[in-house]
Amino acid sequence: MNNSAMTQPHAAGTAPAIRHLVIVGNGMAAHRLIETLGCMPGAPEHITVIGDEPHGAYNRIMLSPWLAGEIDTEGLALAPPTADHSPQGQQPRITTRLALRVTGINRRQRRLECADGELIDYDHLVLATGSRSAMPDIAGINHQGVGGFRDLADARALADSAEQGGQAVVVGGGLLGLEAAEGLRKRGMQVTVLQRSHRLMNRQLDDTAAAMLAQQLSERGIQIRTGVQVAEILGDAEGCVSAVRLQGEDTHLPAQRVVMTTGITANVEPGRSAGLVCDRALVVDDQLLTSDCHISALGECCQFEQHTYGLVEPIWRQVEVLARRLCGSTGVPYHEASCATRLKVSGISLFAFGPTDAEGDHEVLTYHDNERGEYRRLLLTDGRLVGAVLYGDTRMGPWLFELSQQGVGLDAVRHSLLLGQADTEALMAEQSSCVDHDPDNRLDNQLKHQPSKNKTHQEAA
Amino acid sequence: MTQHRQQPDSDLLARTTCPYCGVGCGVKAQLVEGRMVDVEGDDQHPANFGRLCVKGSALAETLGDRGRLLQPLVDGRAVDWQVALSETASRIQAIRDEKGNAAIAGYLSGQLLTEDYYVANKLFKGFLGTPHLDTNSRLCMASAVAAYKRSFGADAVPCNYEDLEEAELVVLVGSNLAWNHPVLFQRLRVAKARNPLMRVVVIDPRVTDSCELADLYLGIRPGSDARLFNGLLAWMADKGRLDSLYLQRHTNGFEEALAAAREGESSIEAVAADCDVDTERLETFYYWFASQLHVVTLYSQGVNQSTSGTDKCHTIINCHLAGGKIGLPGAGPFSITGQPNAMGGREVGGLANQLAAHMDYDSPGALERVTRFWSTPSLTPDLPEAPGYKAVELFEAIERGEIQALWIMATNPLVSLPDANRVRTAIERCPLVIVSECMLDTDLVELADIVLPASGWSEKDGTVTNSERRISRQRGMLPPPGEARHDWWIISQVATHLGYSEAFSYAHPAEIFTEHARLSGFENDTQHQRRLFDISALAELDQDGYDALEPIQWPVSVDSPRGTARLFEDGRFATADGRARLWPITPRQPHQTLSSEYPLRLNSGRIRDQWHTMTRTSRAARLMNHRSEPFVEVHEADARHYHLTDRQLARITAATGEMRVRVRISPAQRRGEIFVPIHWTDRLSSAARSGSLFQGVTDPLSGQPESKHGAVAIEPLAMAWEASLIVDEALDIQLGSAVHEASIYWTRIPLEHGVCWQLAGDPFVEQRDWREWLTRMLPVAVGPVAEDISAARLRAAGIENGYLRWWLMVGPIGELPGLGWISQRLEEAAHAQPLTDDQRRRVLAACDDGSANQGPVVCSCHQVGRTAIVEAIRQGDDSVEALGARLACGTQCGSCIPELKSVLEEEKSHANAITADTARAVAVG
């Protein structure tokens, strides 16, 4: 292991600023970071990535289709990092360490301590340890058969219990919960989703869209219960889960499997133990640096200002910022940007951004085709688009998001907004064109082409 | 109701004539398996040589049984013909017995064929003995007729269509030839292209599409025509431009006419001021007119529809006589008629002041001669001794109760007569109203005691005479639907039931025609007074000869067996002394006067793609594209003054009624003058009968009403909302007029496979909850719906089993997409073709792709929208021909060519502006 004392960042294109970069965590963020560094001049000479899962990096977003049986395990795998695209031909050497758990960080010596006793030195350390399903404090939460849905192990456990059939209860009607529910249903279980809020996906959808979603899922055979809270999880003599009891209800929902999808908890260890500043997650600055200038944090384990992360889009932007810094240049600092939520619940398309519920000064435009399960709701303030919920047909989502980002005034075309991009742009073009579409104006031209004008008539005009 | 349709033997290509305007074009109709599938212009017909306008080329689309009257109705009950005929006869007879012959009246139409007209005239005047038989031709060219008769001694148009092509100067006065006689306008266009020296002058208060060919446009003050032509006569005299020899040899009355023309201040400046035109331009016109021998002055309703219409015609004729510009190729005063058979009606004597065959009551010996001609072994006609009431007077006599039985054929006086609301009241009061009609649902049928189903174009068989005295066959090709019968048959049968079978035992229209031809030649010789109208050379035609009759111009006599192209070539006129007469005219102002209460001058007229009350043309959806709603054209400054914006709704009021119409701001209008179309009826819109705004004042000589000089006020129509609702045909039948209940404004726009209702809500009546209304009103549930509550906008559609059934947009009409897409979906539904998923997604947008919106339709024939035309111009098409080659626009009827040219001009000036901007930017940079 090298032990470089280099502290001064180098300009891009010169010798690497960092000789040995160590990344803890082998998830999608780490994978993306390595891929990005591989294409950049001034990348570290050597990158070691340490993952505690026994298998290589995989696309966690695809766990839902995997659970639903739509793809197989091979389909999950992310391509092993290759770093042969560097324009300067400087390819980082990459070492991947699987099934290795980091237990401590010796910041002074810039050295990692691993569960098997191994010590790994680093010039710079990136923590990309991700998150796990939150396990609320409910009686019976530790019963056998109660788990989350976050990684491949979770997914496998769910698939295994589905082999036996029976009933499953999913606690949490957000994206992950609904995906788990759909996966289990497809694998033959009878599934009930419990949602504390009065509607599904309450952070992304409004009442109408949520109701359409609930109806669609119900039609597929998933029981949806909203406005309910779990009182306790009951188990049998062997400690295996047997049922769920709801607050204010006496009857039990029988369950051989309970999936907790009420939220995620950042994996802040081992950073916190090493004394890094930590709030809900590891606090980073706009260069993704933690309170230690040799340690960065990335993705779901980090916190920037008050934001923590669960969606991939801002994390990709974090990767861009971090990779540039690791290559010795500082560019645009990371900043929080609004982003659209694009969700795919097994064939159900959703797209949303901005406020979920209409407030006082919002003007509301809706399109609803109940029979087809298509719904769009736009929120405008002062003629500008500030939010949208699209359900069913989300093709115009990116365009609407773009319109909202541009902040253009849309009053002149607002009646075409719900119809789509082509309609709106045609209208914009028409309105900006000097050509007047009233055929009567031709008469103006005819008058102009009279050999001499009827002056009295014209002067009157 | 039984419907019996015979299957015609085979497919055929039939030659007939178009039933619309007075040009009288020949039409070839293609029939396949008993259906007319297509029409094209007859290249053998001398009126059009193969050309057709958009109305004519859409003829096949206006056919079909839907909406047709299929059975006689008596007091609202369907009855068989036996009952209908005997009821008609006995009720007429009862009123005759009680009130006398003069209590019976007939009101005919220029839509009737000559044979129908002849039989009607013979029955009413000859056997019912009433003089009160008039026709809607009174409303179009009665003034022209009066002037011809007083000047030439006969109702005889001296010119023909070739004269328009032969002329060196063509003057259009009060005629928007481009819209109203499109095929003639095309002939003129071609002639002008061939003869670069030919000049065209347009004299009209409105800048019409006819100005496209104009070398000079005189936008005169309405009603100043007589002053203008009097000025011309004085100017010609002053400048020594008279044809003294012609005046001396062939005319009377010149001195008096000139003296009248010089009355008051007759300097060109004074005339220009009175006519409100530029002096130089006026003098240019005078100079052109005076210097050319080959001048045709073509005039129409703009001259005729006036309380001094006959005078105006006289001033025009005076100028032609004074310059000897008549009886020559390419010269003459040419009255162009509006209707397909206005002239045929005049020939048989179908006007109240005529007797028969160009004989009037005061023609020496005429009464006795006609009586003799119509007598049979056991019947002697009982002809009235003096003329009857002309149209407006006729309805006044009905109002007074003097006339108690009225039989109306093929016209709708509730729409076309002035003071139309009063006419309605009069008809409502009339004890016996008989209506012969093709269509079931008209404003008039509603008021009739007896309704007699008549055959229509494509079914009727007979002749018509066009504006150049050309008699052509209109041929029956299809059997009439249901119990509908030909008018001549209906009239003859009623006559038979009245006991006159001997005089009305016609088996075929050929028998009627030859009788008419015989009468035209009956004692028509120098021994008696010679009558110009003589078609006696056709009196010997048998049925085959009649069927094979080729178009021919009267007179057709022993002297001119091949017809007569031009009249008065020898300078001999049909007056007693053979001389034409100039009349002294003192110009008069319109009778309807403006006031502070009614400060605007109202003009009215036709639009390019519609015919009369639209019972036929509204059935061809593509004819509705050009102007789909009743409208008013307003000058921009007037619009500002009256707080009107383009495309909003307005209320026009007059002492006699009101109209609610869409505003079109138009530079075509002079300030203080507005224009409305004449076509819309109570069936098609809430309040759009232009007739209701005009007073029933008429020309003292011709009896023609003053339908171009109303006095009105205009204001914005206050409303709570505006909406467009489209329903398919089944829903349309189911809903009827329920959809427009409680609307302050509505217009029904027939589409090919449905109906579009344009609706507006009364602000004092309702704030409509649309979802509730839709659920209550329409039996097909709301499907996709888009709503913008704060902007009060909504779009929704009803889809049943995948078929589009209805479509609604609440919002201003400016946001309404073109209806072509929806119409196509309705058509597909009619062919059991459901919406695709993508179509359903696009249903509220009403297009496959927003960018494909074609804009307003410019070319009706080929349905080419403005967007495509602009696109083609931007791609380099720089002429009408190039556009035609690429898009086919303007290549069929050509009536959109003026519009195409102006789009080209606009684009050119637009491009120039951009170039100039760029140049400026470069210079600055």
Side-chain angles (χ1 to χ4, degrees), chain B residues 429-711:
Chain B
R429 270 189 217 157
C430 185
L432 175 59
V433 177
I434 304 158
V435 172
S436 297
E437 175 59 60
C438 293
M439 308 308 293
L440 178 62
D441 188 27
T442 77
D443 298 355
L444 185 62
V445 163
E446 204 175 52
L447 305 183
D449 300 293
I450 298 178
V451 182
L452 304 172
S455 57
W457 183 82
S458 77
E459 300 148 13
K460 291 169 80 95
D461 209 18
T463 57
V464 290
T465 309
N466 72 5
S467 295
E468 57 169 358
R469 290 172 283 104
R470 191 180 299 279
I471 297 169
S472 297
R473 286 281 277 111
Q474 206 175 85
R475 290 182 172 88
M477 299 154 281
L478 300 171
E483 295 297 312
R485 295 287 186 272
H486 303 310
D487 286 293
W488 65 263
W489 182 90
I490 299 172
I491 302 160
S492 303
Q493 286 299 309
V494 170
T496 301
H497 279 75
L498 283 162
Y500 309 125
S501 62
E502 215 171 276
F504 292 88
S505 59
Y506 307 110
H508 189 274
E511 295 171 12
I512 304 167
F513 182 80
T514 49
E515 181 180 317
H516 166 53
R518 274 204 315 282
L519 178 56
S520 76
F522 186 58
E523 297 175 3
N524 187 355
D525 46 42
T526 41
Q527 185 187 333
H528 306 85
Q529 195 188 333
R530 192 92 171 80
R531 309 192 297 274
L532 200 53
F533 178 70
D534 183 350
I535 54 168
S536 53
L538 302 174
E540 302 307 319
L541 286 178
D542 57 10
Q543 194 173 320
D544 288 343
Y546 176 76
D547 282 340
L549 182 66
E550 288 296 317
I552 189 163
Q553 285 169 289
W554 63 258
V556 193
S557 59
V558 185
D559 304 334
S560 54
R562 295 171 170 275
T564 311
R566 194 170 292 107
L567 298 178
F568 317 131
E569 282 175 313
D570 56 359
R572 282 201 59 77
F573 292 84
T575 49
D577 59 4
R579 286 169 169 264
R581 165 146 203 167
L582 288 86
W583 287 82
I585 301 301
T586 303
R588 281 177 288 132
Q589 291 302 308
H591 186 277
Q592 297 168 82
T593 47
L594 303 182
S595 63
S596 55
E597 197 180 353
Y598 300 115
L600 290 168
R601 186 55 86 196
L602 177 72
N603 194 347
S604 71
R606 289 184 181 147
I607 59 174
R608 194 186 75 192
D609 290 0
Q610 293 299 336
W611 178 255
H612 281 191
T613 58
M614 298 161 74
T615 53
R616 284 174 291 175
T617 41
S618 74
R619 292 155 76 94
R622 67 181 159 120
L623 297 180
M624 294 300 304
N625 285 333
H626 183 242
R627 298 279 188 278
S628 55
E629 282 184 276
F631 62 89
V632 58
E633 292 196 337
V634 185
H635 188 281
E636 196 181 6
D638 287 331
R640 264 199 310 277
H641 187 256
Y642 295 104
H643 311 291
L644 303 168
T645 55
D646 198 38
R647 308 195 81 183
Q648 88 171 121
L649 293 169
R651 183 198 308 274
I652 309 171
T653 48
T656 49
E658 72 164 45
M659 271 180 102
R660 295 192 283 272
V661 292
R662 181 90 48 200
V663 171
R664 300 176 65 93
I665 293 178
S666 164
Q669 290 301 127
R670 291 162 50 94
R671 275 205 71 174
E673 295 164 22
I674 62 176
F675 174 86
V676 293
I678 61 166
H679 304 287
W680 273 267
T681 66
D682 285 350
R683 304 289 123 180
L684 293 168
S685 195
S686 43
R689 287 180 295 126
S690 61
S692 68
L693 296 182
F694 294 98
Q695 293 168 32
V697 290
T698 57
D699 182 288
L701 294 165
S702 70
Q704 180 155 3
E706 191 179 63
S707 306
K708 295 208 181 285
H709 303 281

Side-chain angles (χ1 to χ4, degrees), chain A residues 365-369 372 374 393 395 414 419 422-423 434-436 442 445 450-454 456 460, chain B residues 209 215 217 219 276 281 668 671 784-788 837 840-842 849 866 874 902 906-907 910:
Chain A
L365 274 60
T366 57
Y367 171 91
H368 194 177
D369 186 348
R372 294 277 312 170
E374 286 175 14
D393 176 6
R395 283 176 292 183
R414 63 189 276 165
L419 306 176
D423 303 74
C434 305
V435 178
D436 193 312
R442 70 185 183 274
N445 289 300
Q450 293 307 312
S452 61
K453 284 186 178 178
N454 176 341
T456 325
Chain B
D209 267 11
D215 297 285
Y217 166 67
D276 194 15
R281 299 180 78 172
R671 275 205 71 174
V785 54
E787 202 166 7
D788 179 350
D837 281 358
R840 184 180 176 118
R841 286 203 177 96
R842 299 291 305 162
D849 175 348
R866 193 189 161 94
R874 288 176 185 174
S902 58
E906 271 170 38
E907 277 302 305
H910 180 44

Side-chain angles (χ1 to χ4, degrees), chain B residues 204-235:
Chain B
D204 197 314
R206 304 170 63 224
V207 183
T208 64
D209 267 11
S210 302
C211 291
E212 183 223 339
L213 289 185
D215 297 285
L216 180 67
Y217 166 67
L218 296 175
I220 61 168
R221 187 197 309 280
S224 62
D225 320 54
R227 178 79 166 122
L228 184 106
F229 282 93
N230 260 358
L232 173 59
L233 186 66
W235 193 90

Side-chain angles (χ1 to χ4, degrees), chain A residues 121-136:
Chain A
D121 290 345
Y122 62 83
D123 292 328
H124 194 88
L125 176 65
V126 173
L127 297 173
T129 46
S131 66
R132 62 186 183 277
S133 297
M135 285 295 166

